[in-house]
């Protein structure tokens, strides 16, 4: 039985992954991944579906950034159209990997759907998530309350 997350994904076709320091320009496939450095932090942009078919590529790409580039990263989820529990587990595992390498992982831009997915999946491991990319970046300093 196909779920709504299967829409647009062709059976047997490997997910399309774009790994670069430039933002993605073509989002024709079910999953797009790119990253760029912002100071000592990597901003990872994800677009499309993160499901059981694309989760392995998502895991590989995040692991590559953490272990060979920067271990402090913000994962921008604003352009994710669907995420299953498999994608959430990738984020939590990548957080643990980042911590092992002296860094951290923060998610941004997901809105309430990420909190709902965390709750529904019964995840009790840490995953920091922020409403905006600016909030998640380490250089962000909220204005003092007056």
């Amino acid at each position: 039985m196909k779920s709504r997350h299967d829409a647009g994904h062709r059976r047997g076709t490997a997910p399309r992954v774009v790994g670069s320091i430039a933002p993605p320009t073509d989002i024709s496939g079910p999953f797009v991944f790119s990253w760029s450095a912002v100071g000592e932090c990597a901003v990872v942009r994800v677009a499309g579906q993160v499901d059981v078919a694309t989760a392995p590529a998502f895991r590989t790409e995040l692991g590559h950034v953490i272990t060979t580039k920067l271990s402090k990263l913000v994962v921008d989820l604003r352009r994710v159209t669907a995420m299953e529990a498999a994608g959430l587990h990738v984020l939590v595992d990548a957080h643990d990997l980042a911590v092992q390498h002296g860094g951290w992982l923060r998610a941004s831009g997901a809105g309430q759907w990420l909190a709902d997915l965390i709750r529904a999946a019964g995840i009790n491991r840490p995953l920091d998530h922020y409403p905006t990319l600016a909030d998640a970046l380490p250089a962000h300093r909220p204005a003092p309350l007056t």
Side-chain angles (χ1 to χ4, degrees):
M1 177 177 177
K2 287 189 175 187
S3 71
R4 66 181 181 87
H5 299 289
D6 292 332
H9 181 71
R10 288 172 291 217
R11 198 179 239 351
T13 303
R16 181 174 169 269
V17 177
V18 175
S20 70
I21 60 170
T25 55
D26 177 21
I27 305 178
S28 60
F31 175 74
V32 178
F33 180 102
S34 69
W35 73 275
S36 60
V38 177
E40 295 181 7
C41 178
V43 174
V44 173
R45 291 171 188 83
V46 182
Q49 302 174 100
V50 185
D51 55 21
V52 294
T54 59
F58 188 34
R59 178 179 308 280
T60 298
E61 296 298 325
L62 280 175
H64 176 74
V65 171
I66 292 166
T67 60
T68 66
K69 306 299 180 195
L70 296 164
S71 61
K72 297 175 184 170
L73 60 155
V74 176
V75 180
D76 182 357
L77 300 172
R78 288 178 294 178
R79 297 173 80 182
V80 169
T81 57
M83 182 178 282
E84 295 178 346
L88 179 59
H89 286 285
V90 169
L91 285 173
V92 172
D93 291 345
H95 170 270
D96 294 345
L97 182 62
V99 169
Q100 290 171 8
H101 283 83
W104 42 257
L105 181 142
R106 299 172 181 171
S108 72
Q112 186 60 41
W113 67 260
L114 183 61
D116 293 344
L117 182 59
I118 290 169
R119 192 170 27 265
I123 301 293
N124 56 8
R125 291 165 48 201
L127 181 61
D128 294 333
H129 50 99
Y130 296 79
T132 69
L133 180 60
D135 291 334
L137 289 169
H140 175 72
R141 302 286 185 258
L145 298 173
T146 55

